[in-house]
């Protein structure tokens, strides 16, 4: 079985910072891509950042320059450093792992809540 656990969410004032963690464990041998998704109340879940096995990163336009995705292969952990947070960044952040390219197999965490106050 594969487990995906997010952590690091919380309440922060506008302009503050948080670092989210996504830890993968269990019967997973490799990871092609890891993505961070955000879902605000009443909204769809959208990808905000991703990183692939070759180190390539991708960001949504609205978060580029404020959010940075990185990985620690030794710890099977992907991080999302969030700086200059805005109230519109509020939402539940989910981690999604795609083990292999071209296969429709994904593993989702249960999410961690980020609340940014004005």
């Amino acid at each position: 079985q594969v487990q995906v656990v997010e952590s690091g969410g919380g309440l922060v004032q506008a302009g503050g910072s948080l670092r989210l963690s996504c830890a993968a464990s269990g019967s997973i041998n490799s990871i092609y891509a890891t993505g961070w998704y955000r879902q605000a109340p009443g909204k769809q879940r959208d990808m905000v950042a991703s990183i692939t096995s070759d180190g390539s990163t991708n960001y949504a336009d609205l978060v580029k320059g404020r959010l940075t995705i990185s990985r620690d292969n030794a710890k099977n952990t992907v991080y999302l450093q969030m700086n200059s947070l805005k109230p519109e960044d509020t939402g539940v952040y989910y981690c999604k792992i795609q083990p292999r390219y071209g296969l429709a197999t994904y593993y989702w965490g249960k999410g961690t809540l980020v609340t940014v106050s004005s």
Side-chain angles (χ1 to χ4, degrees):
Q1 186 63 275
V2 175
Q3 294 85 42
V4 180
V5 180
E6 305 98 330
S7 62
L11 175 64
V12 65
Q13 290 182 303
S17 299
L18 287 173
R19 189 179 74 163
L20 307 183
S21 299
C22 174
S25 62
S27 58
I28 186 167
N29 298 316
S30 63
I31 298 175
Y32 167 69
T34 301
W36 281 101
Y37 289 71
R38 179 175 68 206
Q39 186 168 23
K43 303 293 185 179
Q44 68 177 352
R45 190 177 300 181
D46 294 321
M47 189 173 71
V48 297
S50 67
I51 187 167
T52 53
S53 60
D54 64 354
S56 298
T57 58
N58 184 261
Y59 299 93
D61 289 342
L62 290 177
V63 305
K64 185 173 292 187
R66 300 188 298 113
L67 275 62
T68 302
I69 189 169
S70 62
R71 65 184 182 186
D72 186 337
N73 291 332
K75 297 181 179 180
N76 291 328
T77 301
V78 171
Y79 303 97
L80 185 67
Q81 179 66 47
M82 305 190 296
N83 299 324
S84 302
L85 285 166
K86 304 175 181 179
E88 50 263 44
D89 294 320
T90 294
V92 178
Y93 285 73
Y94 298 89
C95 181
K96 185 185 79 173
I97 293 176
Q98 182 181 6
R100 297 184 65 180
Y101 176 80
L103 297 179
T105 301
Y106 308 100
Y107 300 100
W108 288 90
K110 293 184 177 181
T112 184
L113 177 63
V114 172
T115 303
V116 184
S117 62
S118 301

